[in-house]
Amino acid sequence: MTKRVVLGALFGALTVLATGCGDECVDRFDCRDKGTPPQGQEWMCNADNKCELHDLPVVPVEDAGTEVDAGTEEDAGTEVDAGTEEDAGTEVDAGTEEDAGTEVDAGMNVAKGGACTASADCMPGLRCEAATCQSLLIAVTGSDGGTSAVVTAYDVPGMTSLSADGVASAYPRFGPDGTQVAFVQGDVIDPAGELVVRPVPLTATAPTVLTTGTAAGNARIRYMEWEPGSLIAWVRGSTGISTIAATGGTPTQVTSNGTFPDWAPNGTDFAYSASGTGVLISAGGGAPTPLAGTPTSGEQPHYNRATSQLLFLANPEDQNVTFGSDVTPVLKLYSLPVTGGGTPSLLAGTTSEPATGGSVDSYIANPNWSPDGSWVAYVRAYYQLVGNAATLCGNLGADLCGSTPGNAIFLQRVDTTTGAPVGDPVRLVDNATLPSFSPDGRFVAYVLGGALAVQAIDPATGQPSGAAITHPKDTYTVLTSEGDDHRPRWQPR
């Protein structure tokens, strides 16, 4: 594996010192001063460290019947890939329901590289930046021997580290306008880790340190969330949630326990989950209270930014399975109105199919909303059960599973008013995990075999549209071991 020098990306104004007298770039960010490229092309940094024009890859937007490569590699994290391919695009269509508002409107017609005044002018997958429609960025945590918070254009492979070469980093999160990104650097699994912010596009400006885990409760900083507001929230190891303004200042401890914080559309209210209590809501800076109707097993809440629905996982029957020595709850996926609560709607339940000598079962993990609340993506994890012992499908010895993959990503249509499921789920891709919708709802990013992939979808049917864009693992393997903490994050439009 080749370790790429990233100093030019971090200190673009110092590339002559960092890369040699004749070099003008080490990656595409250093070519910004070349101006707007011709339509259909983009400035790239070649092997001789010179900026040159490259033709842009064509992103297919039709042919919804194309199969997605299910992959045969093992996922780098705790989600186990099955190692067998299945058709990812032939599941039941989501039905004939009318589009719930994700159609591209007449204004979203400016192609990449074209002039714009606002992101609403740009085609899906693009945002207006410096008066030009440019690719949205995706941020993930990768490994190249160490741990690095990295960003990449969704449609152009080539990841750039947000921290200096040799400095560990993790958990990148974009700010509300997409012009800043926060991450943890230094001792990322230790209280000494620093919470920092830097501008996007990357410039020579060093990251601004907001606080450290030591200064903010003497605990590791993880499960961070930032946009859509001005506050950054994180979990202090296992001792509750803190927040800090993106401009700095003194951290505020907002809960004494709990995890999985998620911001409401107003950027002030937030939801989180606490063991034995379930999902709690803090509104208007008030004390958190349990959301009526959520079971005490509720966890991993997700606000929708356009509807009143909250997404969460729960195990109301208190059903568990044992993988080796690990006891795992068998989780289902629900939605519930965040105002007033009520009776949850079941979006995806567990499954169990008998097999000789045992059964092949499944539970739900890693859910995520589409921006308008008309779709939810989730992972169905499959396992074999023999007596009381469970083994994930795809693991050696999981002989009952047959061709069943270790996990698969599904999309479920949702009624934006009631939060109830509409039609049958659409199977998007096998052996993948951590799905994440683009802010325009037209793409789903996920991790497949340790590589980032982006799939265009038909917003009316949820079916894949064309082939997935794959970011090869030539430098970084995308991490998945910490679940939602490693979910790909899209730059806001």
Side-chain angles (χ1 to χ4, degrees):
M1 182 182 296
T2 301
K3 185 174 179 67
R4 180 169 59 84
V5 176
V6 297
L7 288 176
L10 298 171
F11 309 108
L14 305 178
T15 51
V16 172
L17 295 177
T19 64
C21 295
D23 297 344
E24 64 180 1
C25 65
V26 294
D27 62 28
R28 64 187 181 87
F29 288 101
D30 296 331
C31 299
R32 296 280 178 132
D33 59 0
K34 292 294 184 180
T36 302
Q39 187 166 347
Q41 293 185 304
E42 181 171 55
W43 287 110
M44 298 292 288
C45 188
N46 65 21
D48 296 321
N49 300 107
K50 301 293 184 183
C51 295
E52 65 180 14
L53 289 168
H54 281 234
D55 291 334
L56 291 169
V58 177
V59 181
V61 294
E62 296 183 350
D63 187 16
T66 303
E67 291 190 2
V68 177
D69 182 2
T72 58
E73 297 187 62
E74 183 173 330
D75 192 295
T78 56
E79 303 271 355
V80 180
D81 293 337
T84 58
E85 295 189 2
E86 270 192 18
D87 179 8
T90 58
E91 288 291 322
V92 178
D93 191 301
T96 57
E97 298 288 328
E98 65 179 24
D99 183 10
T102 54
E103 291 286 351
V104 174
D105 63 36
M108 296 173 65
N109 55 15
V110 179
K112 187 173 179 177
C116 56
T117 57
S119 292
D121 300 334
C122 302
M123 295 181 70
L126 309 177
R127 63 180 256 125
C128 191
E129 190 173 290
T132 304
C133 290
Q134 300 182 25
S135 300
L136 288 168
L137 300 178
I138 296 177
V140 294
T141 301
S143 173
D144 61 347
T147 302
S148 296
V150 296
V151 294
T152 182
Y154 89 93
D155 57 347
V156 181
M159 295 185 177
T160 300
S161 176
L162 294 170
S163 55
D165 195 26
V167 176
S169 55
Y171 317 128
R173 307 289 190 263
F174 288 103
D177 59 2
T179 62
Q180 289 183 298
V181 60
F183 55 98
V184 180
Q185 72 173 14
D187 296 323
V188 297
I189 61 173
D190 186 88
E194 298 174 331
L195 173 56
V196 303
V197 174
R198 68 171 309 135
V200 179
L202 304 183
T203 68
T205 304
T208 299
V209 178
L210 301 182
T211 189
T212 68
T214 303
N218 197 34
R220 175 187 175 190
I221 296 173
R222 58 184 313 203
Y223 292 112
M224 283 202 321
E225 296 297 342
W226 184 358
E227 61 94 17
S230 61
L231 294 175
I232 300 172
W234 72 93
V235 175
R236 303 183 310 276
S238 59
T239 60
I241 299 167
S242 287
T243 63
I244 193 170
T247 53
T250 302
T252 300
Q253 180 176 332
V254 292
T255 75
S256 59
N257 62 0
T259 188
F260 294 109
D262 194 69
W263 290 110
N266 61 15
T268 302
D269 300 348
F270 65 92
Y272 70 100
S273 57
S275 178
T277 303
V279 176
L280 298 97
I281 304 292
S282 173
T289 57
L291 177 59
T294 54
T296 57
S297 61
E299 62 176 81
Q300 300 182 47
H302 292 279
Y303 275 99
N304 186 263
R305 300 292 168 80
T307 73
S308 64
Q309 300 299 322
L310 191 80
L311 200 64
F312 66 94
L313 296 170
N315 178 23
E317 291 85 15
D318 194 27
Q319 180 183 356
N320 301 295
V321 294
T322 302
F323 295 93
S325 60
D326 295 328
V327 177
T328 299
V330 179
L331 296 169
K332 301 176 182 179
L333 179 61
Y334 299 87
S335 67
L336 183 69
V338 72
T339 303
T343 301
S345 294
L346 178 65
L347 295 179
T350 58
T351 63
S352 182
E353 297 292 336
T356 302
S359 62
V360 177
D361 298 11
S362 73
Y363 61 88
I364 308 301
N366 307 128
N368 193 233
W369 281 115
S370 69
D372 66 353
S374 63
W375 290 95
V376 61
Y378 60 87
V379 173
R380 184 174 290 281
Y382 295 94
Y383 61 96
Q384 71 170 26
L385 190 62
V386 178
N388 294 321
T391 304
L392 286 169
C393 292
N395 274 359
L396 294 177
D399 52 351
L400 302 185
C401 295
S403 61
T404 303
N407 41 272
I409 293 175
F410 288 85
L411 304 184
Q412 174 62 59
R413 188 72 175 268
V414 178
D415 186 305
T416 56
T417 301
T418 66
V422 177
D424 295 319
V426 178
R427 192 171 192 141
L428 186 70
V429 58
D430 286 349
N431 304 311
T433 189
L434 299 179
S436 179
F437 283 96
S438 62
D440 50 40
R442 288 307 185 100
F443 299 89
V444 178
Y446 52 85
V447 183
L448 174 61
L452 176 68
V454 180
Q455 176 65 62
I457 62 170
D458 182 333
T461 67
Q463 293 286 350
S465 179
I469 302 166
T470 300
H471 295 249
K473 296 187 295 182
D474 51 0
T475 301
Y476 295 101
T477 296
V478 180
L479 299 182
T480 62
S481 56
E482 295 184 58
D484 193 69
D485 226 7
H486 285 329
R487 174 169 49 87
R489 261 54 174 201
W490 287 81
Q491 181 183 27
R493 295 190 84 210

Coordinates of all heavy atoms in Angstrom, one line a residue, residues 443-483:
F443 N -28.7 10.1 -4.3 CA -27.6 9.2 -4.2 C -27.6 8.5 -2.8 O -28.0 9.2 -1.8 CB -26.3 9.8 -4.4 CG -26.1 10.5 -5.8 CD1 -26.5 11.8 -6.0 CD2 -25.6 9.7 -6.9 CE1 -26.4 12.3 -7.3 CE2 -25.5 10.3 -8.1 CZ -25.9 11.6 -8.3
V444 N -27.1 7.3 -2.7 CA -26.9 6.7 -1.4 C -25.4 6.2 -1.4 O -24.9 5.5 -2.2 CB -27.7 5.4 -1.2 CG1 -27.4 4.7 0.1 CG2 -29.2 5.8 -1.3
A445 N -24.7 6.8 -0.4 CA -23.3 6.3 -0.2 C -23.3 5.2 0.8 O -24.2 5.1 1.7 CB -22.4 7.5 0.4
Y446 N -22.4 4.3 0.7 CA -22.3 3.1 1.6 C -20.9 2.6 1.6 O -20.0 3.0 0.8 CB -23.3 2.1 1.3 CG -23.3 1.6 -0.1 CD1 -22.4 0.6 -0.5 CD2 -24.2 2.1 -1.0 CE1 -22.4 0.1 -1.8 CE2 -24.2 1.7 -2.3 CZ -23.3 0.7 -2.7 OH -23.3 0.2 -4.0
V447 N -20.6 1.6 2.5 CA -19.3 1.0 2.5 C -19.4 -0.4 2.1 O -20.2 -1.2 2.7 CB -18.6 1.1 3.9 CG1 -17.2 0.5 3.9 CG2 -18.6 2.6 4.4
L448 N -18.6 -0.9 1.1 CA -18.7 -2.2 0.6 C -17.2 -2.8 0.6 O -16.4 -2.3 -0.1 CB -19.3 -2.2 -0.8 CG -19.2 -3.6 -1.5 CD1 -20.1 -4.6 -0.8 CD2 -19.8 -3.4 -3.0
G449 N -17.0 -3.8 1.4 CA -15.7 -4.4 1.5 C -14.6 -3.4 1.8 O -13.4 -3.5 1.3
G450 N -14.9 -2.4 2.7 CA -13.9 -1.5 3.1 C -13.7 -0.3 2.1 O -12.8 0.6 2.3
A451 N -14.5 -0.3 1.0 CA -14.4 0.8 0.0 C -15.6 1.6 0.0 O -16.7 1.1 0.2 CB -14.2 0.2 -1.4
L452 N -15.5 2.9 -0.2 CA -16.7 3.8 -0.3 C -17.3 3.6 -1.7 O -16.6 3.5 -2.7 CB -16.2 5.3 -0.2 CG -17.3 6.3 -0.4 CD1 -18.4 6.3 0.7 CD2 -16.7 7.7 -0.4
A453 N -18.6 3.5 -1.7 CA -19.3 3.4 -3.0 C -20.5 4.4 -2.9 O -21.0 4.7 -1.9 CB -19.8 2.0 -3.3
V454 N -20.9 4.9 -4.1 CA -22.1 5.8 -4.2 C -23.0 5.3 -5.3 O -22.5 5.1 -6.5 CB -21.6 7.2 -4.5 CG1 -22.8 8.2 -4.6 CG2 -20.6 7.7 -3.5
Q455 N -24.2 5.1 -5.0 CA -25.2 4.6 -5.9 C -26.3 5.6 -6.2 O -26.9 6.1 -5.3 CB -25.9 3.3 -5.4 CG -27.0 2.7 -6.3 CD -26.4 2.3 -7.6 OE1 -25.6 1.4 -7.7 NE2 -26.9 2.9 -8.7
A456 N -26.5 6.0 -7.5 CA -27.6 6.8 -7.8 C -28.9 6.0 -7.7 O -28.9 4.8 -8.0 CB -27.5 7.3 -9.3
I457 N -30.0 6.6 -7.3 CA -31.3 5.9 -7.2 C -32.4 6.7 -7.9 O -32.3 7.9 -8.1 CB -31.7 5.7 -5.7 CG1 -31.9 7.0 -5.0 CG2 -30.7 4.8 -5.0 CD1 -32.5 6.9 -3.6
D458 N -33.4 6.0 -8.3 CA -34.6 6.6 -8.8 C -35.4 7.0 -7.6 O -35.9 6.1 -6.8 CB -35.4 5.6 -9.7 CG -36.6 6.1 -10.3 OD1 -37.2 7.1 -9.7 OD2 -37.1 5.6 -11.3
P459 N -35.7 8.3 -7.4 CA -36.4 8.7 -6.2 C -37.8 8.3 -6.1 O -38.5 8.3 -5.1 CB -36.3 10.2 -6.2 CG -36.1 10.5 -7.7 CD -35.3 9.4 -8.2
A460 N -38.4 7.9 -7.3 CA -39.8 7.4 -7.3 C -39.9 6.0 -6.9 O -40.9 5.6 -6.3 CB -40.4 7.6 -8.7
T461 N -38.9 5.1 -7.2 CA -39.0 3.7 -7.0 C -38.0 3.2 -6.0 O -38.2 2.1 -5.4 CB -38.9 2.9 -8.3 OG1 -37.5 3.1 -8.7 CG2 -39.8 3.4 -9.3
G462 N -36.9 4.0 -5.7 CA -35.9 3.5 -4.8 C -34.9 2.5 -5.5 O -33.9 2.1 -4.9
Q463 N -35.2 2.2 -6.8 CA -34.3 1.3 -7.5 C -33.0 1.9 -7.8 O -32.9 3.1 -8.1 CB -35.0 0.7 -8.7 CG -36.2 -0.1 -8.5 CD -35.8 -1.5 -8.0 OE1 -34.7 -1.9 -8.0 NE2 -36.8 -2.3 -7.5
P464 N -31.9 1.1 -7.9 CA -30.6 1.7 -8.3 C -30.7 2.2 -9.7 O -31.4 1.5 -10.6 CB -29.6 0.5 -8.1 CG -30.5 -0.7 -8.1 CD -31.8 -0.3 -7.5
S465 N -30.0 3.3 -10.1 CA -30.0 3.8 -11.4 C -28.6 3.8 -11.9 O -27.8 4.6 -11.5 CB -30.6 5.3 -11.3 OG -30.6 5.9 -12.6
G466 N -28.3 2.9 -12.8 CA -26.9 2.8 -13.3 C -26.0 2.1 -12.4 O -26.4 1.6 -11.3
A467 N -24.7 2.1 -12.7 CA -23.7 1.4 -11.9 C -23.3 2.3 -10.8 O -23.3 3.5 -10.9 CB -22.5 1.1 -12.8
A468 N -22.8 1.7 -9.7 CA -22.3 2.4 -8.5 C -21.0 3.0 -8.9 O -20.2 2.5 -9.7 CB -22.2 1.5 -7.3
I469 N -20.7 4.2 -8.3 CA -19.4 4.8 -8.3 C -18.5 4.2 -7.2 O -18.9 4.4 -6.0 CB -19.5 6.3 -8.2 CG1 -20.4 6.9 -9.3 CG2 -18.1 7.0 -8.3 CD1 -20.8 8.3 -9.0
T470 N -17.4 3.6 -7.5 CA -16.6 2.9 -6.5 C -15.3 3.7 -6.3 O -14.6 4.1 -7.2 CB -16.3 1.5 -6.9 OG1 -17.5 0.8 -7.0 CG2 -15.5 0.8 -5.8
H471 N -15.0 4.0 -5.0 CA -13.7 4.6 -4.7 C -12.7 3.5 -4.2 O -12.9 3.0 -3.1 CB -13.9 5.6 -3.6 CG -14.8 6.8 -4.0 ND1 -14.3 8.0 -4.1 CD2 -16.1 6.8 -4.3 CE1 -15.3 8.9 -4.5 NE2 -16.4 8.1 -4.6
P472 N -11.8 3.1 -5.1 CA -10.9 2.0 -4.7 C -10.1 2.2 -3.4 O -9.8 3.3 -3.0 CB -9.9 2.0 -5.9 CG -10.6 2.7 -7.0 CD -11.4 3.8 -6.3
K473 N -9.8 1.1 -2.8 CA -9.0 1.1 -1.6 C -7.5 1.2 -1.9 O -6.7 0.5 -1.4 CB -9.2 -0.1 -0.7 CG -10.7 -0.2 -0.3 CD -10.8 -1.4 0.7 CE -10.5 -2.7 0.0 NZ -10.7 -3.9 0.9
D474 N -7.1 2.2 -2.8 CA -5.7 2.3 -3.1 C -4.8 2.9 -2.0 O -3.6 2.7 -2.0 CB -5.5 3.1 -4.4 CG -6.2 4.4 -4.4 OD1 -6.9 4.7 -3.4 OD2 -6.2 5.1 -5.5
T475 N -5.5 3.7 -1.2 CA -4.7 4.3 -0.1 C -5.4 4.1 1.3 O -4.8 3.6 2.2 CB -4.5 5.8 -0.3 OG1 -3.8 6.1 -1.5 CG2 -3.8 6.4 0.9
Y476 N -6.7 4.3 1.3 CA -7.5 4.2 2.5 C -8.6 3.1 2.5 O -9.3 3.0 1.5 CB -8.2 5.5 2.8 CG -7.3 6.7 3.1 CD1 -7.0 7.6 2.1 CD2 -6.7 6.8 4.4 CE1 -6.1 8.7 2.4 CE2 -5.8 7.9 4.6 CZ -5.5 8.8 3.6 OH -4.7 9.9 3.9
T477 N -8.6 2.3 3.5 CA -9.7 1.4 3.8 C -10.7 2.2 4.7 O -10.4 2.6 5.7 CB -9.3 0.1 4.5 OG1 -8.4 -0.6 3.6 CG2 -10.5 -0.8 4.8
V478 N -12.0 2.3 4.2 CA -13.0 3.0 5.0 C -13.4 2.1 6.2 O -13.8 1.0 6.0 CB -14.2 3.3 4.1 CG1 -15.2 4.1 5.0 CG2 -13.8 4.2 2.9
L479 N -13.4 2.7 7.4 CA -13.7 2.0 8.6 C -15.2 1.9 8.8 O -16.0 2.8 8.5 CB -13.0 2.6 9.8 CG -11.5 2.7 9.7 CD1 -10.9 3.4 11.0 CD2 -10.9 1.4 9.5
T480 N -15.6 0.8 9.4 CA -17.0 0.6 9.8 C -17.2 0.1 11.2 O -18.3 -0.1 11.7 CB -17.7 -0.4 8.8 OG1 -17.0 -1.7 9.0 CG2 -17.6 0.0 7.4
S481 N -16.1 -0.1 11.9 CA -16.1 -0.9 13.2 C -16.9 -0.2 14.3 O -17.3 -0.8 15.2 CB -14.7 -1.1 13.7 OG -13.9 0.1 13.8
E482 N -17.1 1.2 14.2 CA -17.8 1.9 15.2 C -19.2 2.3 14.7 O -19.8 3.3 15.2 CB -17.0 3.1 15.7 CG -15.7 2.7 16.4 CD -15.0 3.8 16.9 OE1 -15.5 4.5 17.8 OE2 -13.8 4.0 16.5
G483 N -19.8 1.5 13.8 CA -21.2 1.7 13.4 C -21.4 3.1 12.9 O -20.7 3.6 12.0

